[in-house]
């Protein structure tokens, strides 16, 4: 009877409670759903910080340095202090460079004599030098017994700005003696001439020689001052050996001299009374063979370079027969007085009489002889100046190879969309299907924390677990050179900020490079090895994903990967180039006369034709063979391809003549594989073996290509002759080939090595200024120097800037042609100033 009635009270109460719970759960779910936007926004804020999490170590906290800089590095005005602090007897002598002079960025020799009159010493000699924003402290261990003396030599990268070096002797944590080593840092355009002589007498007139608007700096040297490392000779432009005991040069010093000449140096050896001592050990470098002496009553032949001949009187002259490939600059009655030979990029000159003795000492015009001998040169290879914008391109290329980029925009958008879809519609559909919508108050925070964890985990994976390394090498190969300079730039990055112990097993002395856009860093300590002993960098600081860069420079034998068969024709260079190396070369470029063409990739054994038209009249910034390859975006998809092209642009553009000088010749640039430099993390150089760093490496090959100018009939097109400023001032304007002459400027053009003419059929001057392009500015006055009567002859250019000169043989002396340009106003912009010629060989 009760079955049809209302439910029992207990059942009713249970149903009401269940309904109440459902209503409350629904209310909680609704409230959580209304809070969905704050819960969504919180992870999105964290996600917005995702790139920072991926590059979590990219912040470089300069405001709180991790290591205090030494007192002598702080920027303040301390009271005057003596050069030597502490016991001066412990370090009685210290010197740097060549007679206290050096050039910015070149490798430097620093010598210090350490003496000990007390108890035995076991300590370190420390050399502090500054390179841009980086300060490097090079150390060497020294052990001294009582009453012992020791010569400590550093061969390290020199400073890039004017500064004093600092030497100290440290035992434990105490500096027993500290002294500043004065160093006169010349300009990169200054001319530094070293004179190696036992009697200490300078050649007459040498100090009056000028290179452009810069005077010549002279350094008197002894045999012990000649470095045994060719890198330390780079600051010298010319080395003169007269009345010197060359037989005391070690085998390493002689090998360094040869390598220095091959890379562009000029070695001058003088004859005269002390010729045997001067040439002993250098016979393989001289342009003459079978040397002998004879006495002559005058040297009137030298009047070719001045208005008057040297005073007459008996003079002892050393002479010989020219070797194959040598060029005789001056003869007297069939006797060579001046002869030279090219060796790689440099040359060796032999002077028959001693230029420091009579009659040169009494000859007021002795400087004209030196102006003829030491000015000029063979086409050089471009070098990267780290202080210029090329340093930024280099570090950008290293950063690309290290793959330090933030995640792509597409990846971030996909991550955001995926998170919103999962936390919103997917969660709702799943919970509704399970009929558990009240779980949303747990699902929102769990999904948010999971997204953040996934983001941070991905960031950790992208950072990587180990220290990363990338290297870019530049190798410069010259014809007939046995060795080549190799500049290797290393980029290092770590997963987290910290200090790491690094070792260079090869014992090289690295140069720390300043970080792009940052201020001065804390000093880097380097314990030098050498002689097979590794160099260590203890506690080398890495700021996470901010790469630190080091430069290594070595001289080593390098094979020439390219064989060229190029021929010169009037206005053109034609022929083929072939890759004879084992590796594939990428983005090969041939440059001649300021023009560049791309050859693409060259596989091993592959040949490619070359045809370049050289302009006879160039407008500023114009290219006759189409846009240069580095101005065209790369079609490669590999990382850093465009960065490497920008690096080539920074490397090549300055050599197009914006300083008034042009290198000339034909150059090939190509990228290829390179061995990774040996860098070990964790080794101490004393038997403890660490783990070798791995990474990516590339190499840019710069190779000077030989050109055949004709077996008998010679044709040299415009732009191939190297051009040197003898006197006057020129100013660069922009990044193109133009330069500005203010006042008369004298240039010297040098014929290619091995080209000797007995007949000059045509000598043509190619001049391009804004006036030749149709402007109203007057053309400059142009003259050529006629050697026999020492007269400047005007050469009026046509409206197109081209002028043919008759009687051209009189304007050539031993391969040198001099031209002068003088503006007819305050200044004149020159877009092109070249010579071309046609003649006949002997």
């Amino acid at each position: 009877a009760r079955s049809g009635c209302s439910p029992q009270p207990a059942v009713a109460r249970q149903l009401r409670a269940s309904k109440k719970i459902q209503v409350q759960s629904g209310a909680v779910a609704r409230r959580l759903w209304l809070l969905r936007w704050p819960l969504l926004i919180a992870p999105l804020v964290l996600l917005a910080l995702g790139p920072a999490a991926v590059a979590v170590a990219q912040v470089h906290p300069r405001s709180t340095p991790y290591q205090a800089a030494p007192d002598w590095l702080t920027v303040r005005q301390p009271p005057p202090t003596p050069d030597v602090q502490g016991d001066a007897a412990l370090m009685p002598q210290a010197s740097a460079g060549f007679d206290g002079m050096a050039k910015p960025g070149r490798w430097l020799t620093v010598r210090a004599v350490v003496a000990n009159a007390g108890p035995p010493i076991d300590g370190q000699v420390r050399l502090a030098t500054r390179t841009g924003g980086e300060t490097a402290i090079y150390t060497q261990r020294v052990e001294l017994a009582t009453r012992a003396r020791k010569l400590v030599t550093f061969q390290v990268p020199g400073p890039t700005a004017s500064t004093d070096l600092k030497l100290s002797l440290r035992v434990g944590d105490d500096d027993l003696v500290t002294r500043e080593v004065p160093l006169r840092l010349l300009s990169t355009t200054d001319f530094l001439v070293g004179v190696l002589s036992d009697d200490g007498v300078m050649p007459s007139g040498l100090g009056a020689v000028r290179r452009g608007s810069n005077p010549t700096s002279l350094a008197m040297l002894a045999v012990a001052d000649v470095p045994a490392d060719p890198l330390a000779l780079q600051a010298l432009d010319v080395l003169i050996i007269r009345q010197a005991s060359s037989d005391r040069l070690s085998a390493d010093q002689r090998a360094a001299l040869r390598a220095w000449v091959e890379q562009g140096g000029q070695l001058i050896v003088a004859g005269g009374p002390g010729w045997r001592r001067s040439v002993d050990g250098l016979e393989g470098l001289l342009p003459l063979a079978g040397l002998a002496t004879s006495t002559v009553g005058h040297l009137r032949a030298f009047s070719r370079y001045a208005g008057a001949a040297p005073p007459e009187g008996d003079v002892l002259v050393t002479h010989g027969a020219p070797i194959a490939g040598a060029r005789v600059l001056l003869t007297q009655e069939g006797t060579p007085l001046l002869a030279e030979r090219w060796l790689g990029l440099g040359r060796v000159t032999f002077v028959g009489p001693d230029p420091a003795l009579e009659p040169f000492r009494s000859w007021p015009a002795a400087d004209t002889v030196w102006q003829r001998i030491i000015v000029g040169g063979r086409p050089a290879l471009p070098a990267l100046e780290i202080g210029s914008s090329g340093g930024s391109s280099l570090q950008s290329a290293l950063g690309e190879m290290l793959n330090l980029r933030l995640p792509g925009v597409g990846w971030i958008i996909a991550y955001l969309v995926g998170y919103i879809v999962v936390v919103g519609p997917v969660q709702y559909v799943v919970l509704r299907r399970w009929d558990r919508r009240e779980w949303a108050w747990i699902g929102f925070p769990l999904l948010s924390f999971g997204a953040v964890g996934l983001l941070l985990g991905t960031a950790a994976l992208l950072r990587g677990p180990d220290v990363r390394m990338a290297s870019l090498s530049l190798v410069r190969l010259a014809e007939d050179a046995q060795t080549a300079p190799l500049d290797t730039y290393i980029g290092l990055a770590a997963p987290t900020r910290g200090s790491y112990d690094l070792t260079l097993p090869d014992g090289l002395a690295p140069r720390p490079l300043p970080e792009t856009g940052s201020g001065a860093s804390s000093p880097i300590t380097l314990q030098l090895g050498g002689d097979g002993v590794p160099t260590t960098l203890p506690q080398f600081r890495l700021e996470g994903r901010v790469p630190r860069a080091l430069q290594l420079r070595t001289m080593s034998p390098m094979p020439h990967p390219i064989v060229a068969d190029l021929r010169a024709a009037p206005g053109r260079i034609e022929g083929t180039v072939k890759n004879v190396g084992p590796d594939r070369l990428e983005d090969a470029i041939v440059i001649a006369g300021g023009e560049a063409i791309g050859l693409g990739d060259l596989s091993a054994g592959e040949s490619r034709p070359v045809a370049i038209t050289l302009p006879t009249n160039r407008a500023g910034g114009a290219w006759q063979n189409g846009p240069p390859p580095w101005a065209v975006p790369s079609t490669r998809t590999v990382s850093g391809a465009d960065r490497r092209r920008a690096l080539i642009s920074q490397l090549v553009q300055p050599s197009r003549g914006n300083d008034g000088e042009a290198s000339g010749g034909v150059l090939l640039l190509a990228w290829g594989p390179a061995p990774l430099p040996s860098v070990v993390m964790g080794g101490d150089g004393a038997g403890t073996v660490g783990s070798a760093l791995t990474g990516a490496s590339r190499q840019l090959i710069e190779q000077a290509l030989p050109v055949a100018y004709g077996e008998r009939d010679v044709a040299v097109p415009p732009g191939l002759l190297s051009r040197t400023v003898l006197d006057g001032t020129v100013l660069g304007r922009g990044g193109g080939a133009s330069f500005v002459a203010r006042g008369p400027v004298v240039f010297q053009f040098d014929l290619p090595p091995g080209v000797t003419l007995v007949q000059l059929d045509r000598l043509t001057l190619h001049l391009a200024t804004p006036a030749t392009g149709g402007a109203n500015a007057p053309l400059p006055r142009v003259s050529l120097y006629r050697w026999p009567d020492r007269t400047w002859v005007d050469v009026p250019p046509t409206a197109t800037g081209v002028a043919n000169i008759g009687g051209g043989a009189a304007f050539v002396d031993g391969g040198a042609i001099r031209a002068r340009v003088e503006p007819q106003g305050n200044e004149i912009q020159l877009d092109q100033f070249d010579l071309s010629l046609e003649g006949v060989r002997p």
Side-chain angles (χ1 to χ4, degrees):
R2 295 181 180 178
S3 60
C5 300
S6 59
Q8 296 179 2
V11 176
R13 288 195 298 271
Q14 184 177 359
L15 291 175
R16 287 195 298 269
S18 175
K19 185 176 182 180
K20 183 177 181 180
I21 291 174
Q22 291 180 0
V23 170
Q24 291 177 347
S25 298
V28 170
R30 284 193 297 273
R31 285 196 296 271
L32 288 176
W33 185 254
L34 291 176
L35 292 175
R36 65 187 184 279
W37 295 115
L39 290 173
L40 277 171
I41 291 174
L44 290 178
V45 172
L46 293 176
L47 190 61
L49 300 176
V54 176
V56 65
Q58 193 163 359
V59 179
H60 207 164
R62 294 294 181 189
S63 58
T64 56
Y66 51 83
Q67 181 180 355
D71 292 340
W72 67 278
L73 288 176
T74 56
V75 182
R76 62 174 181 262
Q77 298 295 329
T81 57
D83 291 341
V84 182
Q85 298 178 357
D87 189 355
L90 290 172
M91 194 178 293
Q93 299 177 21
S95 61
F98 295 100
D99 211 356
M101 292 177 287
K103 287 190 176 181
R106 307 294 175 88
W107 256 239
L108 178 70
T109 299
V110 180
R111 297 181 176 89
V113 175
V114 185
N116 180 28
I121 292 178
D122 185 358
Q124 286 183 339
V125 178
R126 298 163 61 88
L127 170 66
T129 178
R130 185 175 301 160
T131 302
E134 297 282 358
T135 298
I137 301 176
Y138 299 92
T139 67
Q140 288 192 50
R141 184 182 177 186
V142 60
E143 294 180 295
L144 287 174
T146 304
R147 292 186 297 275
R149 294 169 63 92
K150 186 174 184 180
L151 175 64
V152 179
T153 302
F154 292 87
Q155 291 186 349
V156 297
T160 57
S162 181
T163 184
D164 287 341
L165 306 174
K166 194 156 197 172
L167 278 169
S168 60
L169 174 61
R170 173 170 293 187
V171 176
D173 295 330
D174 298 325
D175 289 335
L176 303 184
V177 59
T178 300
R179 67 180 302 159
E180 293 182 354
V181 185
L183 179 67
R184 178 187 169 196
L185 208 60
L186 305 175
S187 169
T188 54
T189 58
D190 285 348
F191 212 62
L192 180 57
V193 179
V195 179
L196 184 62
S197 175
D198 291 342
D199 58 13
V201 178
M202 285 284 184
S204 181
L206 185 60
V209 176
R210 300 180 68 83
R211 173 74 178 261
S213 59
N214 303 304
T216 298
S217 300
L218 304 179
M220 181 59 70
L221 307 177
V223 172
D225 296 327
V226 179
D229 187 346
L231 295 178
L233 281 165
Q234 287 183 325
L236 278 181
D237 295 292
V238 177
L239 177 62
I240 300 175
I241 298 179
R242 59 155 301 274
Q243 297 276 5
S245 302
S246 298
D247 58 332
R248 289 190 290 152
L249 292 171
S250 66
D252 290 338
Q253 287 175 309
R254 294 171 187 172
L257 278 178
R258 182 183 183 95
W260 167 73
V261 171
E262 290 178 345
Q263 299 311 315
Q266 183 180 8
L267 176 64
I268 301 176
V269 182
W275 71 276
R276 288 189 181 275
R277 287 186 300 159
S278 299
V279 305
D280 192 8
L282 303 177
E283 294 86 350
L285 297 176
L286 300 179
L288 301 177
L291 296 180
T293 58
S294 61
T295 302
V296 299
H298 62 81
L299 293 175
R300 296 172 187 166
F302 282 101
S303 63
R304 183 177 182 88
Y305 305 128
E312 296 191 3
D314 291 343
V315 183
L316 186 67
V317 175
T318 305
H319 52 82
I323 66 173
R327 175 183 287 159
V328 177
L329 305 182
L330 187 67
T331 62
Q332 179 172 291
E333 299 175 357
T335 300
L337 298 180
L338 294 176
E340 69 180 15
R341 63 172 293 198
W342 292 91
L343 196 63
L345 298 175
R347 50 188 169 150
V348 181
T349 307
F350 188 84
V351 184
D354 190 335
L357 305 178
E358 294 292 351
F360 293 95
R361 295 183 63 85
S362 303
W363 187 28
D367 61 303
T368 61
V369 177
W370 293 113
Q371 195 77 36
R372 171 64 187 92
I373 294 175
I374 69 175
V375 177
R378 188 172 183 172
L381 293 173
L384 184 66
E385 296 293 340
I386 297 301
S388 65
S389 55
S392 176
S393 299
L394 173 70
Q395 294 192 344
S396 297
L398 287 174
E400 289 281 354
M401 296 178 66
L402 286 168
N403 193 21
L404 300 178
R405 297 170 299 173
L406 297 176
V409 177
W411 185 89
I412 295 177
I413 293 176
Y415 192 91
L416 289 171
V417 172
Y419 170 74
I420 294 173
V421 169
V422 170
V423 81
V426 172
Q427 179 183 213
Y428 178 78
V429 170
V430 172
L431 294 181
R432 182 178 180 183
R433 184 179 184 87
W434 292 351
D435 196 18
R436 291 292 186 269
R437 283 175 291 178
E438 64 274 12
W439 289 3
W441 70 277
I442 299 176
F444 275 115
L446 288 180
L447 290 175
S448 300
F449 288 123
V452 173
L454 178 62
L455 181 66
L456 294 178
T458 305
L461 291 176
L462 290 177
R463 287 191 313 182
D466 301 319
V467 174
R468 300 184 186 183
M469 181 172 67
S471 73
L472 283 175
S473 301
L474 277 69
V475 56
R476 295 180 292 280
L477 303 173
E479 187 183 2
D480 301 329
Q482 298 179 357
T483 58
L486 178 65
D487 284 323
T488 301
Y489 302 92
I490 299 175
L492 297 168
T496 57
R497 298 183 185 94
S499 298
Y500 300 84
D501 293 331
L502 302 180
T503 302
L504 303 177
D506 296 332
L508 302 177
R511 177 204 301 276
L513 300 182
E515 298 174 22
T516 304
S518 66
S521 302
S522 296
I524 298 176
T525 301
L526 306 99
Q527 296 178 1
L528 295 181
D531 296 330
V533 179
T535 296
T536 59
L537 286 74
Q539 298 299 300
F540 185 73
R541 184 72 181 180
L542 292 176
E543 296 295 334
R545 293 173 59 86
V546 177
R548 297 293 301 273
L550 300 173
Q551 179 187 5
L552 303 177
R553 177 169 292 177
T554 57
M555 298 284 292
S556 59
M558 297 289 292
H560 290 53
I562 293 293
V563 172
D565 180 18
L566 300 179
R567 301 171 299 281
R572 290 183 63 80
I573 289 289
E574 300 173 342
T576 60
V577 296
K578 181 179 181 180
N579 180 10
V580 296
D583 301 317
R584 177 185 180 88
L585 301 180
E586 299 175 352
D587 288 334
I589 299 172
V590 175
I591 302 172
E595 294 289 320
I597 61 171
L599 302 182
D601 297 346
L602 292 174
S603 301
E606 185 178 2
S607 299
R608 198 66 55 85
V610 174
I612 303 179
T613 300
L614 304 182
T616 59
N617 187 267
R618 179 204 304 278
W623 299 86
Q624 189 159 323
N625 293 269
W630 52 81
V632 179
S634 176
T635 58
R636 297 183 179 278
T637 58
V638 297
S639 175
D642 288 329
R643 296 286 189 183
R644 292 199 289 268
R645 290 197 169 206
L647 183 61
I648 290 179
S649 176
Q650 295 295 334
L651 190 69
V652 175
Q653 287 285 67
S655 67
R656 290 194 62 201
N658 61 356
D659 59 353
E661 301 194 8
S663 59
V666 181
L667 172 69
L668 181 134
L669 299 172
W671 288 98
L676 196 68
S678 180
V679 180
V680 175
M681 185 174 66
D684 60 3
T688 302
V689 179
S691 58
L693 298 184
T694 59
S697 62
R698 301 294 294 170
Q699 179 174 263
L700 178 60
I701 299 170
E702 307 172 25
Q703 182 174 339
L705 302 182
V707 179
Y709 295 98
E711 294 293 334
R712 180 178 181 275
D713 297 324
V714 175
V716 181
L720 293 191
L721 298 184
S722 59
R723 182 182 66 207
T724 307
V725 179
L726 265 70
D727 194 15
T729 303
V730 294
L731 303 175
R733 176 170 292 177
S738 301
F739 62 92
V740 176
R742 293 183 174 174
V745 181
V746 179
F747 298 91
Q748 178 169 308
F749 296 83
D750 292 285
L751 295 184
V755 174
T756 304
L757 303 176
V758 295
Q759 177 182 333
L760 190 59
D761 297 330
R762 183 186 61 82
L763 178 61
T764 304
L765 182 140
H766 305 274
L767 173 71
T769 70
T772 59
N776 296 324
L779 290 172
R781 180 183 178 183
V782 182
S783 309
L784 289 179
Y785 188 70
R786 191 164 56 200
W787 294 91
D789 57 0
R790 299 170 300 280
T791 303
W792 287 101
V793 179
D794 287 344
V795 183
T798 64
T800 60
V802 179
N804 293 318
I805 297 95
F811 298 104
V812 182
D813 175 79
I817 305 171
R818 290 185 177 175
R820 182 177 65 185
V821 58
E822 182 177 359
Q824 297 302 295
N826 294 331
E827 64 179 36
I828 185 70
Q829 176 178 321
L830 300 179
D831 297 331
Q832 182 182 13
F833 190 59
D834 290 324
L835 295 180
S836 63
L837 56 88
E838 297 178 12
V840 179
R841 291 180 184 266

